[in-house]
Amino acid sequence: MKWNVWGHPLKETEQFFQEGGFPRFRAKQLHDYLYKRYVYDFAQMTQFPAAMRDWLSENAVIEKPEVVRQQHSSNGDTIKLLLRLSDGSLIETVCMKHDYGNSICVSTQVGCAMGCIFCASTRKGMERNLTPGEMLAQIYAFRMLYQIPVHSIVLMGSGEPLQNYENVLQFMHLCHAPDGLNLSYRGMTLSTCGIAPAIYQLADEKIPITLAISLHAPNDEIRNRILPSSRKYPIQTLIDAARHYFNVTGRRVTFEYILIKGINAERTHAEELCRLVGDMSCHFNLIPINGTEHIQLYPPDHQAIERFSQILEKHGKSVTVRRQMGDEIQAACGQLKRRYLKDNS
Ligand code: SF4
């Protein structure tokens, strides 16, 4: 079976060349072709002797996902891509252009098992984990198509990253590698529904990424309605894990909170939330829910959002209200894939 050279740490590529009887330094040259010069045909790698190019063609492949659909928001601040993987699975990835640079939202699984009520990615459950190379290819798809520099990545696409722990960790190391994207760990945000034991494990990795926890509720009763998978880890267990993460890494934890009218966006919910987190150093990212075709959930009005935010601030919490990017291009998780499957059924 041919070895897929895409998406490996330099050490593994060096080993591949050595096992083929070639010097290690050829691995670095191959990485330059793949990740800096975007050459994806061994025959065009003219720095290599002809015999080596033939050997590569016989023993290796460059297998990356194919872009099957692109969508741009009208103001140009969001681009969404639908990618087809080698086994035919479809995944989504999004580029968001901010004042401070471009951020890529990366999917970590095909589908998702977490069951959040507002999310289209979870309708068919989790199909499989993505490999580090399949995650990396999402970033390179934007770089190649639009020559977009990448300043940060958020692991917030389809999937629960902490259920694909080892591959996600290797992907972040690949992004950080000097022969690859050379991204700072501080520019990486991992968003989780809250797999508490994996948060403790991540803290021990001692890499200064930002941990974002999808909290979405001030108590277990509401959280279980919004995020059915959360029953396994009660909300207090999660707060303890977040506190531990901060204590070990010194990195302030972000709590993501989707605001849904009539469910979790009242004044009393904001006050309960403040009691829950107490004096923990943390940041709240409030996200008015993104209305979609298939759910009957709506964002609160502007005044209610403002009131919620002010209560948190009054208790000394740092708060941002996320602007809704890309509504018209089905930028919320899983929607472009659903639309594509519908169009092609
Ligand atoms: S929001 Fe994220 S964690 Fe929740 S179901 Fe969707 S993909 Fe999974």
Side-chain angles (χ1 to χ4, degrees):
M1 198 169 128
K2 293 186 177 186
W3 193 61
N4 181 12
V5 295
W6 178 262
H8 295 277
L10 188 59
K11 269 204 163 119
E12 285 179 16
T13 313
E14 285 175 345
Q15 196 182 339
F16 174 67
F17 273 92
Q18 280 186 311
E19 283 170 6
F22 297 101
R24 266 183 16 185
F25 75 90
R26 294 296 187 186
K28 172 76 174 62
Q29 289 177 326
L30 179 63
H31 278 213
D32 283 350
Y33 273 125
L34 297 176
Y35 306 120
K36 297 209 163 113
R37 297 162 70 178
Y38 312 145
V39 176
Y40 300 125
D41 180 352
F42 295 129
Q44 288 177 24
M45 299 183 178
T46 49
Q47 243 182 320
F48 293 156
M52 189 188 292
R53 293 200 298 265
D54 291 345
W55 172 77
L56 279 168
S57 301
E58 280 163 27
N59 295 283
V61 284
I62 305 168
E63 203 171 79
K64 292 199 296 73
E66 168 202 2
V67 177
V68 292
R69 190 166 278 194
Q70 307 173 32
Q71 284 193 318
H72 298 247
S73 61
S74 49
N75 64 1
D77 69 0
T78 311
I79 309 170
K80 187 162 195 174
L81 301 179
L82 185 68
L83 307 179
R84 185 186 290 116
L85 309 180
S86 55
D87 65 353
S89 302
L90 295 167
I91 53 164
E92 298 175 5
T93 180
V94 184
C95 174
M96 294 158 290
K97 297 178 185 170
H98 301 283
D99 299 341
Y100 51 84
N102 299 321
S103 183
I104 310 286
C105 177
V106 174
S107 290
T108 56
Q109 295 179 315
V110 181
C112 183
M114 304 314 282
C116 302
I117 54 169
F118 48 80
C119 177
S121 292
T122 196
R123 307 280 138 172
K124 285 171 136 186
M126 202 279 278
E127 292 167 44
R128 73 167 172 88
N129 284 330
L130 295 186
T131 64
E134 287 168 337
M135 292 180 236
L136 191 69
Q138 298 172 47
I139 299 171
Y140 276 90
F142 289 107
R143 282 171 71 95
M144 285 173 53
L145 282 172
Y146 311 110
Q147 287 75 50
I148 288 176
V150 177
H151 302 94
S152 59
I153 54 169
V154 291
L155 283 82
M156 255 178 220
S158 69
E160 164 52 61
L162 293 183
Q163 279 193 336
N164 186 12
Y165 191 93
E166 291 304 329
N167 284 350
V168 161
L169 196 64
Q170 191 177 333
F171 160 67
M172 292 192 293
H173 290 326
L174 283 173
C175 291
H176 182 66
D179 62 310
L181 291 165
N182 204 12
L183 269 182
S184 149
Y185 285 119
R186 288 174 186 271
M188 303 182 199
T189 299
L190 184 152
S191 173
T192 174
C193 284
I195 314 287
I199 293 176
Y200 285 90
Q201 194 181 347
L202 191 64
D204 288 341
E205 305 287 351
K206 307 244 173 16
I207 50 172
I209 61 166
T210 300
L211 178 68
I213 297 179
S214 301
L215 199 60
H216 303 330
N219 59 50
D220 283 319
E221 191 201 330
I222 298 177
R223 195 157 192 268
N224 292 346
R225 278 172 66 195
I226 299 175
L227 236 145
S229 63
S230 64
R231 284 189 179 84
K232 193 158 180 202
Y233 303 107
I235 205 163
Q236 192 55 55
T237 310
L238 207 51
I239 297 297
D240 292 345
R243 205 180 281 278
H244 176 82
Y245 189 86
F246 172 73
N247 289 340
V248 171
T249 64
R251 301 285 291 159
R252 190 177 67 169
V253 172
T254 294
F255 289 114
E256 308 276 349
Y257 196 103
I258 291 245
L259 288 166
I260 312 173
K261 188 177 178 180
I263 295 188
N264 67 354
E266 298 299 321
R267 172 194 300 274
T268 50
H269 298 136
E271 286 163 353
E272 194 179 359
L273 198 53
C274 293
R275 288 195 295 278
L276 177 72
V277 297
D279 61 358
M280 189 196 317
S281 173
C282 58
H283 174 80
F284 280 94
N285 192 12
L286 303 179
I287 311 155
I289 195 162
N290 197 347
T292 72
E293 301 160 356
H294 67 285
I295 50 171
Q296 303 287 310
L297 301 170
Y298 304 98
D301 61 32
H302 183 71
Q303 276 181 331
I305 296 171
E306 193 56 21
R307 188 180 58 209
F308 201 97
S309 166
Q310 280 172 2
I311 292 171
L312 296 181
E313 281 172 343
K314 220 173 73 195
H315 284 79
K317 301 300 167 204
S318 142
V319 184
T320 46
V321 180
R322 194 197 290 175
R323 68 192 172 108
Q324 294 186 342
M325 298 180 81
D327 279 9
E328 85 262 39
I329 62 161
Q330 292 94 41
C333 202
Q335 290 180 61
L336 179 62
K337 178 173 167 179
R338 274 168 68 88
R339 173 62 59 86
Y340 177 85
L341 290 172
K342 213 164 145 191
D343 292 352
N344 289 276
S345 61

